[in-house]
Amino acid sequence: MSTVRTLTLADVAVPRVSRLSNLLLVVGASVLTALAAQIAIPVPWSPVPLTGQTFAVLLSGAVLGARRAFLAHALYLIEGAAGLPVFAGGATGLAVFAGPTAGYLAALPFAASLVGALAERGWDRRFGSMLVAMLLGSTVIFALGLAQLARFVPQSQLLAAGLLPFVPGDLVKSVLASLAFPFAWRFAHERGGIGA
């Protein structure tokens, strides 16, 4: 059984997709994620900071679609592993992948791809389904993040260190994205005759 793929916002913004435009979208999303990761607020009782990174990941997933979003965030991880200071607080290098935040980082391509796949099925065109897509993407990040963090934090402190401080912000960001995407689609529909 095949599933019909709908346009993403990137497909509407760049209607004549070429290898170059796909490359620019992928690189642009990796750069956006790197910039958002620099917005980092330390959580005193946790090795995991609050960042803008996950918001950039999930938004770019919805904008780019599954394949490009996965590639963008795989590229982001490669950039950090290669020594570019793209992770939170300018962290860099392979050592980050053995640390307490490694699970969160490893989850980024998968979370972005999941949100992208749902956007390709039109989930980003209504508030309720976009909210579910964003929350599912966050769930992937938290699941892999907590699995790695459990190696560094006692079980009794795991949720306080790796989940609970981040939930309110994730909910706010998910609601904001869920309000913005349907509006963006209405705007695209009005300006260019794109089906809603």
Side-chain angles (χ1 to χ4, degrees):
M1 179 173 111
S2 65
T3 303
V4 176
R5 181 188 184 279
T6 62
L7 296 176
T8 64
L9 284 174
D11 297 322
V12 174
V14 186
R16 294 184 184 187
V17 177
S18 66
R19 286 186 179 153
L20 178 60
S21 64
N22 277 328
L23 177 65
L24 292 174
L25 289 167
V26 165
V27 171
S30 75
V31 170
L32 176 66
T33 301
L35 293 173
Q38 304 317 306
I39 303 167
I41 302 167
V43 177
W45 60 88
S46 174
V48 182
L50 286 162
T51 71
Q53 178 184 49
T54 55
F55 191 50
V57 167
L58 299 178
L59 282 182
S60 63
V63 170
L64 296 178
R67 188 174 65 86
R68 289 180 295 208
F70 184 90
L71 292 173
H73 294 94
L75 175 61
Y76 169 71
L77 297 180
I78 292 167
E79 292 164 352
L84 295 175
V86 296
F87 300 138
T92 187
L94 289 173
V96 175
F97 293 99
T101 61
Y104 296 95
L105 291 172
L108 299 182
F110 301 103
S113 183
L114 173 61
V115 173
L118 295 174
E120 289 171 355
R121 288 159 179 79
W123 285 41
D124 61 337
R125 299 189 186 200
R126 290 180 183 78
F127 173 83
S129 55
M130 181 60 178
L131 181 61
V132 171
M134 293 289 285
L135 294 176
L136 287 172
S138 291
T139 300
V140 170
I141 294 170
F142 284 128
L144 293 178
L146 289 170
Q148 172 71 3
L149 186 61
R151 298 179 57 217
F152 296 88
V153 174
Q155 194 70 29
S156 62
Q157 299 170 18
L158 185 60
L159 295 181
L163 175 66
L164 299 178
F166 310 100
V167 170
D170 272 19
L171 289 174
V172 169
K173 291 181 280 190
S174 294
V175 167
L176 290 175
S178 300
L179 291 168
F181 270 77
F183 175 79
W185 276 110
R186 280 194 297 275
F187 180 77
H189 175 64
E190 291 167 5
R191 297 287 293 191
I194 304 300

